Amino acid sequence: MSAVPQRRYVITFGCPDRTGIVARIASFLAEAGGWIVEAAYHTDPDSGWFFTRQVVRADSLPFEVDELRARFAGVARSLGSESDWRIEDTGERRRVVLLVSKAGHCLYDLLGRVASGELDIDLRAVIGNHETLGDITRAHGIPFHHVPFTGDKQDAFAEVAKLVDEHDPHAVVLARFMQILPPHLCEAWAGRAINIHHSFLPSFMGARPYHQAHARGVKLIGATCHYVTADLDAGPIIEQGVIRVDHDDAVADMVRKGRDIEKITLARGLRWHLEGRVLVHGNRTVVF
Amino acid sequence: MSAVPQRRYVITFGCPDRTGIVARIASFLAEAGGWIVEAAYHTDPDSGWFFTRQVVRADSLPFEVDELRARFAGVARSLGSESDWRIEDTGERRRVVLLVSKAGHCLYDLLGRVASGELDIDLRAVIGNHETLGDITRAHGIPFHHVPFTGDKQDAFAEVAKLVDEHDPHAVVLARFMQILPPHLCEAWAGRAINIHHSFLPSFMGARPYHQAHARGVKLIGATCHYVTADLDAGPIIEQGVIRVDHDDAVADMVRKGRDIEKITLARGLRWHLEGRVLVHGNRTVVF
Amino acid sequence: MSAVPQRRYVITFGCPDRTGIVARIASFLAEAGGWIVEAAYHTDPDSGWFFTRQVVRADSLPFEVDELRARFAGVARSLGSESDWRIEDTGERRRVVLLVSKAGHCLYDLLGRVASGELDIDLRAVIGNHETLGDITRAHGIPFHHVPFTGDKQDAFAEVAKLVDEHDPHAVVLARFMQILPPHLCEAWAGRAINIHHSFLPSFMGARPYHQAHARGVKLIGATCHYVTADLDAGPIIEQGVIRVDHDDAVADMVRKGRDIEKITLARGLRWHLEGRVLVHGNRTVVF
Amino acid sequence: MSAVPQRRYVITFGCPDRTGIVARIASFLAEAGGWIVEAAYHTDPDSGWFFTRQVVRADSLPFEVDELRARFAGVARSLGSESDWRIEDTGERRRVVLLVSKAGHCLYDLLGRVASGELDIDLRAVIGNHETLGDITRAHGIPFHHVPFTGDKQDAFAEVAKLVDEHDPHAVVLARFMQILPPHLCEAWAGRAINIHHSFLPSFMGARPYHQAHARGVKLIGATCHYVTADLDAGPIIEQGVIRVDHDDAVADMVRKGRDIEKITLARGLRWHLEGRVLVHGNRTVVF
C-alpha cells in the first residue's frame, strides 16, 4: 500500500474454487512480464467461491489496459468465470459524486482529504437537497447543485440522477444524505452507491438511530459504511466503527461523538471501494 | 480505585433532582467525620432523576454500618427517597454463584481471576447443566453441582434455585449458561442475575448470534454483559465490547475470537456490579 | 454533557485532601441556590491533593460571576487553597488561535467542526509559517496570517507572539505546527498551549515519529495531545489515541492512517481543555 | 482460518523480489495437485524482499511432507532462496513449554485455552522459578518443574534449558517470567522464544513499566508480544494491544487492567507463531 502514485492495473476476479487458479493467473501475468505488487486471495467455504485481487505495475506490461482485458478474458473463461471480473487502470482517476443534506461533517472531512491530496479523486460534484453546504463546497472549487426535495420527490430524484449520471462516477456517496434512494436508482448504481449509516448495523436500522441507541442504553455506538440496495440499511457492509458512550451522554452527545466515527468509517470504506478492494458476494463483502 | 483492600462503605442513592442534594449528603457525612474516597454524580435529564455513589472509609466513622444506615435513612427521606438507596460494607465479601454449561472460557477466566486474587470474591459454587466443567472447578477448590436439564426443566430450575439461594449471593452469573431463566427466577434475582450474551446487543438477539453475524457480514462482533430480565436479551446493559472480524473469519473463527471479548466484558461487568458501581434506571444503567 | 448551550459557571478547584471539602463547597453553592449540573472529584493518593470540577447553572445564582468569584475565594481560602482554583463563565466564548504549517488535516478538521457548530468557539486567527493553508482558512471567514520562518526564528516567533497575544486566547493550538516553541513562549502560554504529537508518547519523541515507528516495527501507531512545556514532547498528556498498522503499511501509509488519529485526538483534547475539564497536576492531568 | 483441524502443509518462503515468483510457486503446487487454502504475499519495499505463506491441504498432494520439502527445495533454489523457507506439517502438534514466575494471569489464560480445545497444542511443561503456580498447572494435567533462582542464576538457567530442550519445542513462552534470558539461550531459542512485555513498546522498556506509565501520565497502557533477543525488550514485535486508563487509576489499577491486555496479546501472538503466520525480517515481522 505504498503512497507512490505509480500507474497500476487492479484485477479483481471470482470463480468456482478448484486447484490451479492461482497458478493459471500468476503464470499468465508472469509470461507477459507483469510485476505483481499486491496479491490477495480468499475462498468462501460456504459457497465454494474463489476471489482474488492482483495489482500489477502498468509499466511492467508490454501492452495497454485494453489488451490486458482482452487477454485476461480468455484466462477468466478458462477458469469458468465469464463476467465476475474487472480490470481497472489507476491512471484513470476515480470520479466521485457526493449527495448531502444539511449535516456537514462527512462532507467537510472528504473535502479536507481531497484538498490535502490524501484522497486523490476526481470529485465532480456535490448535490444537496439543501443549500446549506453550498458555500464550503464551492470554496473548495467543487461544483455544488441544490436540488430541493420539498416538492415531488420523483422529480427531484430524476434531477439528481441526471446530475450524477453525466459524470459516470465510480462512486456515488450518500454522505449523510437524508433521502431514501428509489429502487430504480439503487439498481442503476448497484455496487457504486455507498451510504454511511449512523449506527452499528443491524442495530438501529431506520430513522434516528442515536435516539434508539440512547433508549436502549448501549455502551458503544457505531457507524456502518455499506452499499446501497433497495432493502433499506441492509446492503453489503464495507466497514464499521464504534466509539464508547456512557450514562452521561445525552442523545446530543451521541450525535456529536458519532460524527467522528461516521466520517472516518465512510472515508475508509470509500477509499477501499475506489482502490478496488471490495468484492461483493451475496450480501457480504470481501475486503482485500 | 485503589487496590488496597481497606474497609469501606459504599453508598448508592437516587432521588428527584433539586438544589442542595450534594450539600445535604456531604454535610451529613462530614459531620460524622466521614472521609469520602470516591464520589460520583449523575442526573438523568429525561426523568429528572439524580444518582450518586459515595465511598467512605469505614475507619473514619465513629459507628458501624447499621448505625450509618439508620442515620442515612433520615437523610434519604428528607430528599424524597424512601427506598432508592443502599449502603454496602466492603468488609463483607461478595458472595457469587456461577451457572455454566459446557463452554468453559468464561469460567476459566473467572476462576483464574479469583485464584490470582484479582477478583476478591467469595465464590460459593458453580452449577452446571453438564458435568464438563466439574473437574476444573473442583481443582480450584470450589464446589461444583451438576444439575441435568435433560428431564423436566421446571424441576431442574427448582434445584438450581435451591442451590443458589442458600448462599444469598450478591451476584448470580450466567457464564454462558445456555438455559433461559424462567420469569419467577428473573424476578427473584432481579438486579443480581448477570448474563453475558455473545453479540453486540440489540443486534443478534436469541440463538446462535455468531451465525447471524456471519450471515449479515458485519465487520465487528461483540459481547454484552447485562442484567437478566424476563424479556430475553433485553435487560439493562452493564458493559459491551467488540472485536474486528473480516471475510476470512468463518463462524468458528468468530466463535473463537468472540470468546476473548465475552470473558473480558463479563469480568468487567461483574466487577462493577460487585463494587456497587451499577445503578439501574428503567432499562438503562448508570455505571459510576 | 448536554449539548444545550445554557450559560454555566465552571469551577475547578484543588486543595490538600481532608474531611469535609465536598460538604464545604456544596453547602456554599446550595446556600446561594446554585444548581449543580456536573460534579466530579478526584484525590491523588501520592500527593494527597484533592481536585474537583463543578458546573453550576448561571441562572440559578442571584449574582454574577464576579461576585461568585469573590465569595468563592473565601471558601477556597478556608480549605487551604489560595490560588489553585478558577471559575469560568461559559457565557464568554472561548478564544482560540491556531498555529499551522503545511499539513492541513488538523486544520481542516477543526474548521469543519467550527463551521458545523459542533465546536462553539471564537476562532480568532490561524497563523501559518507557510501560506499553504491560507485560502481554505479565509474561505471559512477566519483571518490567516503568514509568518515566514525562513529568516531569523526569534523575529518570527516575536511576530507570532504578537499576533497571538492580542487575542488573549484561552487556547493556542499547535495544529501540526512544525516549529519548536521557544522557552519564553512555553512559559507565557503555560496551560494554554496545546500540541498534537504524531506518536504515542513517550514512544518516538522528536522528529519523524512515523519513520521511527516503521523502523521499530510496531503494530499500533498513535497520537498524543499534550500541553506544551519547555521540555520537548514531555508536557502533561491530555489525550491519546491509537490505530492498527501492519507489515503492509509503508511510512506513507502510517502517515495517512495516523492523520485520522491526530485530528480526532486533538479535537477531543481541545474540547476538554476549553470546557475546563483538564486540571494539571505536576506532569500529569486529571480529565474530568 | 477455518477451525476444522484438517491436516495441512504450511509453506513460508522469502526471496529477493522479481517477476514470476508467484507463478513459479503456484505452478509447482498446481502440477502436484496441491489445493491451496490460504495464500498471502508481501514485498518489503525497503529491502526488496518478497515473502509468502501458502497453506496446502495435505490430502491434495500425492506424496508426504518430506517429499514436498525435497521438491520445494529446487523451487526455492531457482528463486534464489537457499534457506529462507520452511514447510510445516500441521499433523505434527506444536510442542510448547511455558516459563512462569508468580503472576498467574497469562498461565491461567493459556491453560484455559488448552483445556477448552481452543488452543490445540502439545503443552509439554511449565517451568516456574517459584512453586506458586504448580498446583493449578498439575490440576490441568501438565508437568510443572520448580527451578529456584535464589542461588546461582547460571546453574538455574542451565536446568531450565535442559528441561526445555528435551521437548525440542516449537515455542518457549515467557509468560510473565521475570528473569532475563542469558544471550546463549536467546541465541539457542532464536525465533522460538516469545515474551509478553507489560508495556506498549518501545515505551517503558525494562523494569516496572506500569510505574513508569503512571509517572508519565499516559492515557493508554499496553502490552507487547515479541520474540526474545539478546537486546532486552527490543526483539521483533508480533502483536500489541492497549487499554484506556485515566487519572483514577493508581499503579495497582493499571496492573490489573493491563493483565487482560497482556494475556490476550500473548495468546494471539503465540497462536500466530504456531500457525506459521509470523515471518521475521530484520527486527520487524510480517504477520500473515
Side-chain angles (χ1 to χ4, degrees), chain A residues 1-3 108-109 112-113 115-116 118 136 139-140 243 248-250 252-253 256 259-260 263-264 268 271, chain C residues 1-3 108-109 112-113 115-116 118 136 139-140 243 248-250 252-253 256 259-260 263-264 268 271:
Chain A
M1 278 190 257
S2 162
Y108 288 117
D109 186 68
R113 291 175 198 267
S116 67
E118 174 192 317
I136 189 65
H140 278 265
I243 192 170
D248 261 337
D249 291 303
D253 299 300
R256 172 173 55 77
R259 278 188 203 121
D260 282 350
K263 71 190 189 190
I264 295 223
R268 204 180 281 162
R271 166 180 288 272
Chain C
M1 279 191 259
S2 161
Y108 287 118
D109 187 67
R113 290 176 200 267
S116 67
E118 174 192 317
I136 187 65
H140 278 264
I243 192 170
D248 262 337
D249 290 303
D253 298 301
R256 172 173 55 77
R259 276 187 204 122
D260 282 351
K263 70 191 190 191
I264 296 227
R268 206 179 281 161
R271 165 181 290 274

Side-chain angles (χ1 to χ4, degrees), chain B residues 1-3 108-109 112-113 115-116 118 136 139-140 243 248-250 252-253 256 259-260 263-264 268 271, chain D residues 1-3 108-109 112-113 115-116 118 136 139-140 243 248-250 252-253 256 259-260 263-264 268 271:
Chain B
M1 280 189 259
S2 162
Y108 288 118
D109 187 67
R113 291 176 199 268
S116 68
E118 174 192 317
I136 189 66
H140 278 264
I243 193 171
D248 261 337
D249 291 304
D253 298 299
R256 173 173 54 78
R259 278 187 204 121
D260 282 350
K263 71 191 189 191
I264 296 225
R268 204 179 281 161
R271 167 181 288 273
Chain D
M1 280 191 259
S2 161
Y108 288 118
D109 188 67
R113 291 176 200 268
S116 67
E118 175 192 316
I136 187 67
H140 278 266
I243 192 170
D248 261 337
D249 290 304
D253 298 300
R256 174 173 53 78
R259 278 188 203 121
D260 282 351
K263 70 190 190 191
I264 295 225
R268 206 181 280 161
R271 165 179 290 273

Side-chain angles (χ1 to χ4, degrees), chain D:
Chain D
M1 280 191 259
S2 161
V4 180
Q6 213 173 33
R7 192 171 160 208
R8 294 168 173 189
Y9 301 136
V10 179
I11 305 169
T12 48
F13 173 82
C15 72
D17 197 18
R18 40 162 274 199
T19 301
I21 306 172
V22 180
R24 183 78 184 86
I25 295 175
S27 298
F28 162 74
L29 289 171
E31 279 156 27
W35 186 317
I36 302 170
V37 290
E38 278 188 71
Y41 302 93
H42 173 66
T43 299
D44 180 58
D46 301 328
S47 60
W49 204 256
F50 171 91
F51 304 84
T52 186
R53 176 178 179 269
Q54 311 256 341
V55 183
V56 182
R57 283 176 55 165
D59 63 8
S60 70
L61 290 174
F63 41 70
E64 285 300 303
V65 66
D66 286 339
E67 179 67 17
L68 176 61
R69 287 191 185 115
R71 295 187 184 199
F72 189 79
V75 176
R77 220 164 9 240
S78 75
L79 292 167
S81 177
E82 282 297 325
S83 62
D84 192 8
W85 63 273
R86 210 168 46 203
I87 298 181
E88 294 184 2
D89 179 352
T90 66
E92 182 192 356
R93 286 174 79 217
R94 304 291 98 175
R95 294 178 300 279
V96 177
V97 174
L98 304 183
L99 308 187
V100 302
S101 185
K102 285 179 181 173
H105 54 285
C106 288
L107 175 67
Y108 288 118
D109 188 67
L110 292 174
L111 289 175
R113 291 176 200 268
V114 172
S116 67
E118 175 192 316
L119 191 61
D120 180 26
I121 61 173
D122 185 3
L123 183 49
R124 289 298 183 92
V126 176
I127 301 167
N129 66 333
H130 291 276
E131 178 55 44
T132 320
L133 301 172
D135 284 351
I136 187 67
T137 303
R138 285 182 286 260
H140 278 266
I142 312 291
F144 181 88
H145 308 283
H146 177 207
V147 179
F149 271 65
T150 45
D152 185 281
K153 290 216 176 187
Q154 215 169 324
D155 291 353
F157 270 119
E159 192 181 342
V160 166
K162 199 175 133 285
L163 289 166
V164 166
D165 289 338
E166 69 181 78
H167 299 294
D168 185 23
H170 296 90
V172 185
V173 181
L174 286 69
R176 295 301 308 276
F177 183 60
M178 304 303 283
Q179 303 291 328
I180 295 169
L181 280 199
H184 74 277
L185 288 183
C186 295
E187 177 70 23
W189 299 337
R192 292 187 293 153
I194 293 173
N195 185 47
I196 181 73
H197 184 78
H198 41 314
S199 88
F200 185 78
L201 291 174
S203 287
F204 314 131
M205 295 196 285
R208 295 165 53 103
Y210 291 123
H211 287 79
Q212 295 183 53
H214 189 263
R216 181 61 189 92
V218 294
K219 299 301 184 186
L220 293 162
I221 54 172
T224 303
C225 178
H226 64 94
Y227 287 112
V228 177
T229 61
D231 201 358
L232 187 66
D233 298 336
I237 294 172
I238 304 171
E239 172 65 336
Q240 299 186 289
V242 290
I243 192 170
R244 287 192 83 85
V245 290
D246 67 25
H247 57 265
D248 261 337
D249 290 304
V251 170
D253 298 300
M254 289 187 173
V255 168
R256 174 173 53 78
K257 292 186 174 181
R259 278 188 203 121
D260 282 351
I261 296 301
E262 292 169 37
K263 70 190 190 191
I264 295 225
T265 302
L266 173 59
R268 206 181 280 161
L270 176 60
R271 165 179 290 273
W272 293 343
H273 169 77
L274 295 175
E275 292 181 348
R277 297 186 179 281
V278 189
L279 285 69
V280 175
H281 182 57
N283 203 40
R284 296 192 287 155
T285 61
V286 172
V287 181
F288 282 129

Side-chain angles (χ1 to χ4, degrees), chain A residues 67-116:
Chain A
E67 179 67 15
L68 176 61
R69 286 190 186 117
R71 295 188 185 200
F72 189 81
V75 176
R77 216 159 19 234
S78 76
L79 293 167
S81 177
E82 283 297 326
S83 61
D84 191 6
W85 63 273
R86 208 167 47 203
I87 297 180
E88 293 185 3
D89 179 354
T90 67
E92 181 192 357
R93 287 174 79 219
R94 304 290 98 176
R95 295 178 300 278
V96 177
V97 174
L98 303 184
L99 308 187
V100 302
S101 183
K102 286 179 180 172
H105 54 286
C106 288
L107 176 67
Y108 288 117
D109 186 68
L110 292 172
L111 289 174
R113 291 175 198 267
V114 172
S116 67

